[in-house]
Amino acid sequence: MGTSNVSSNSDFILMGLFSYTGPHLVLFFLMATVFIIGLLGNTTLLFLIATDSRLHTPMYFLLSQLSLLDVGFPLVTIPKVVAEFLQGQNVISFGGCATQMFFLMLMGVSEGVLLSLMSYDRYVAVCHPLHYQVLMRSQVCLVMVGASWFSGALVASILTSITLQFPYCASHTVDHFFCELPALLKLSCADTSAYELALSISGVLILLLPLSLIFISYGHVLGAVLLMRSAEARHKAFTTCSSHVTVVGLFFGAAVFIYMVPGSYHSPKQDNVVSLFYSLITPTLNPLIYSLRNREVRMSLVKFMGRSDFKVKG
């Protein structure tokens, strides 16, 4: 390749997830199946929240934004993986790589902020129920959602533009199945240590700040739930909040591993597994977690299925 920098006409080569052996073919079809289930689950949840007036509450409005992000996450990576496998080519253009990296960071940061704001919603609902309608009025919800999307776009714009300024003059083979920032930095022939240090520091703000807000919110929620006299109220609060805590654990666990644990402590193969987990498995599990644990969502789904069945019979 020489020592010339990557230009807008240069391509990167991605390391595919699958070979054409029997076990890998099974894994490929399994991945495609999970991808379809995730899209159906999240679009169904979006549809139910939009059409059922009983779900027109702040909690479900925030949940609809989570489902929207969970639709986007797999769409950025999985169709490209499928196309590479079917065509036998693992090449991605410079522009395609930049676009993929930007939208992954956009949705990742937005989801982290959104999850922290969803924990605040549960804190208000459990600890200050009499003030819930005022503290979580529609204007506040819109500001919260706008803040999550804006923070994601801001961080993604800054990090993507800086990352693509580095010279990539050695191998153009990205040891990953999509263009993720840590994997791309390994290809740079410039000293990226200062930038990586800055990324670690920003990671504290981007990941640990929302996570701290979540811990504080649920610390108060747990204290309030334990003091509730009604067993039914305790069960409802615990069920709703435990769904959110499960989603938080899945998302932040993978994000901390990728972006805060030094690269020397995990291999590219481990990075692929964890990245596949947070970009495909977690978005697929989220609607299942919420629909199975939330009575309102189950009732809305049953109502919709019953109405559809009636129309078919009619």
Side-chain angles (χ1 to χ4, degrees):
M1 289 279 184
T3 58
S4 59
N5 294 351
V6 165
S7 69
S8 58
N9 295 320
S10 300
D11 294 332
F12 290 107
I13 300 172
L14 299 173
M15 297 297 290
L17 277 176
F18 308 106
S19 63
Y20 293 94
T21 59
H24 277 229
L25 288 173
V26 173
L27 290 175
F28 171 78
F29 285 110
L30 179 62
M31 181 202 70
T33 302
V34 172
F35 172 68
I36 294 170
I37 291 172
L39 286 182
L40 289 175
N42 281 294
T43 52
T44 299
L45 197 53
L46 279 167
F47 175 79
L48 293 176
I49 293 171
T51 57
D52 193 331
S53 59
R54 293 174 300 178
L55 302 183
H56 293 174
T57 64
M59 183 184 81
Y60 288 109
F61 174 65
L62 296 176
L63 179 57
S64 71
Q65 297 302 302
L66 180 65
S67 291
L68 190 59
L69 289 166
D70 286 339
V71 167
F73 244 126
L75 284 175
V76 175
T77 57
I78 303 304
K80 176 64 177 172
V81 173
V82 172
E84 290 168 355
F85 181 80
L86 295 178
Q87 297 172 3
Q89 296 180 345
N90 295 341
V91 176
I92 186 169
S93 66
F94 180 85
C97 190
T99 302
Q100 199 174 63
M101 188 163 52
F102 171 82
F103 279 105
L104 282 169
M105 283 191 283
L106 164 66
M107 289 180 287
V109 174
S110 297
E111 184 160 334
V113 174
L114 182 65
L115 288 172
S116 68
L117 296 175
M118 289 174 72
S119 72
Y120 172 76
D121 168 74
R122 291 299 85 204
Y123 160 72
V124 175
V126 175
C127 300
H128 303 283
L130 297 179
H131 301 107
Y132 184 75
Q133 294 300 325
V134 175
L135 294 175
M136 292 300 298
R137 57 191 182 275
S138 58
Q139 295 93 327
V140 174
C141 292
L142 289 172
V143 169
M144 293 168 72
V145 168
S148 68
W149 283 98
F150 175 76
S151 59
L154 180 64
V155 171
S157 299
I158 293 172
L159 295 184
T160 301
S161 59
I162 294 175
T163 301
L164 296 178
Q165 293 301 313
F166 286 107
Y168 296 95
C169 48
S171 170
H172 287 188
T173 302
V174 182
D175 202 358
H176 206 51
F177 68 95
F178 61 81
C179 286
E180 195 165 33
L181 193 151
L184 205 60
L185 283 179
K186 293 177 183 178
L187 301 183
S188 176
C189 52
D191 182 12
T192 60
S193 56
Y195 180 49
E196 290 180 41
L197 177 61
L199 281 177
S200 298
I201 296 171
S202 64
V204 173
L205 297 175
I206 295 170
L207 292 175
L208 294 190
L209 193 60
L211 202 53
S212 299
L213 179 59
I214 290 168
F215 280 129
I216 293 170
S217 297
Y218 279 110
H220 288 288
V221 168
L222 180 60
V225 168
L226 293 176
L227 293 174
M228 288 180 177
R229 296 181 180 181
S230 168
E232 183 181 351
R234 272 201 311 271
H235 175 72
K236 182 178 180 180
F238 179 77
T239 300
T240 303
C241 295
S242 63
S243 300
H244 184 231
V245 170
T246 302
V247 170
V248 166
L250 292 171
F251 176 79
F252 279 98
V256 168
F257 180 86
I258 291 292
Y259 287 98
M260 295 199 67
V261 177
S264 57
Y265 288 91
H266 46 90
S267 66
K269 185 175 290 187
Q270 290 173 322
D271 289 343
N272 278 334
V273 172
V274 175
S275 295
L276 185 64
F277 185 83
Y278 82 73
S279 64
L280 176 63
I281 306 300
T282 300
T284 301
L285 290 176
N286 286 351
L288 296 177
I289 291 169
Y290 279 105
S291 61
L292 293 176
R293 301 297 296 273
N294 287 46
R295 183 171 176 268
E296 292 90 348
V297 175
R298 294 199 305 270
M299 289 178 61
S300 178
L301 182 60
V302 169
K303 178 183 175 183
F304 172 72
M305 295 298 290
R307 190 165 60 238
S308 300
D309 185 56
F310 176 77
K311 288 181 179 179
V312 171
K313 289 181 179 179

